[in-house]
């Protein structure tokens, strides 16, 4: 923690806040994409995409889950999606799953999460749609099949939201599915045929 604190305390000296880039950030934001991914500390959207400050709007949670439209109660995820699309005018949304995901591992192993009631409640809605791939994943430490199916499922959940459906129908929104390998750095993109592929640079 000390190293993190030291870097935070010297941040203002390490970055040129007098530059045009940083001065413009004070005037507002105009991100190119909403990036929905896991809270996992190994998944760093700006590092993966090379994004500069102000270029991506991030939504992070355990398992990169998007609650489907109509779920009871307030949701930070829904609020973030609505704000990104309706206020910021974001035209691209990326749902990015990743290898070796702890949330996906908990679902595969069927862990007793009674000591973590919040985690259990959060992951519970994801279980049924992943049921057919959970058993197949026991021997795969990377959990690629489960994580990739989860990305597809969360894209479907996104499409259940009226703001997403409307903007898709108007041709003002593009949805992207990504799968990131934490041990190789490779990014697999979901193609039109619903297969994840690594595309050449």
């Amino acid at each position: 923690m000390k190293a993190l604190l030291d870097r935070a305390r010297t941040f203002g000296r390490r970055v040129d806040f007098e530059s045009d880039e940083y001065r413009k950030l004070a005037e507002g934001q105009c991100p190119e994409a909403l990036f929905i991914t896991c809270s996992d500390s190994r998944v760093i959207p700006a590092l993966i995409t090379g994004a500069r400050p102000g270029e991506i709007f991030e939504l992070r949670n355990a398992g990169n889950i998007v609650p489907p439209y109509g779920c009871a109660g307030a949701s930070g995820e829904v609020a973030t999606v609505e704000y990104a699309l309706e206020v910021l005018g974001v035209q691209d949304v990326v749902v990015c799953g990743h290898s070796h995901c702890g949330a996906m591992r908990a679902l595969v192993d069927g862990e007793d999460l009674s000591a973590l009631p919040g985690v259990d409640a959060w992951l519970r809605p994801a279980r049924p749609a992943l049921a057919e791939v959970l058993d197949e994943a026991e021997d795969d430490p990377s959990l690629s099949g489960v994580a990739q199916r989860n990305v597809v499922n969360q894209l479907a959940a996104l499409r259940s939201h009226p703001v997403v459906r409307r903007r898709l129908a108007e041709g003002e929104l593009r949805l992207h599915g990504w799968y990131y390998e934490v041990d190789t750095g490779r990014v697999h993109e979901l193609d039109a045929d619903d297969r994840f592929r690594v595309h050449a640079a």
Side-chain angles (χ1 to χ4, degrees), residues 77-173:
E77 288 72 24
V78 173
T80 300
V81 170
E82 288 179 355
Y83 189 84
L85 272 55
E86 295 286 63
V87 178
L88 299 177
V90 165
Q91 295 185 341
D92 290 276
V93 178
V94 177
V95 176
C96 181
H98 69 96
S99 67
H100 306 87
C101 179
M104 297 302 105
R105 173 53 65 192
L107 291 172
V108 169
D109 291 347
E111 292 180 17
D112 177 8
L113 297 175
S114 56
L116 302 167
V119 174
D120 186 47
W122 179 248
L123 294 179
R124 192 177 305 127
R127 284 188 180 102
L130 290 171
E132 65 182 62
V133 294
L134 292 179
D135 290 340
E136 303 167 6
E138 292 180 358
D139 298 326
D140 177 11
S142 72
L143 304 173
S144 60
V146 177
Q148 290 175 9
R149 175 65 64 85
N150 186 53
V151 168
V152 172
N153 294 347
Q154 302 319 311
L155 287 169
L158 262 178
R159 290 186 188 94
S160 74
H161 292 265
V163 63
V164 174
R165 284 200 311 269
R166 176 174 54 78
R167 288 175 61 88
L168 284 171
E170 293 169 353
E172 296 179 351
L173 183 65

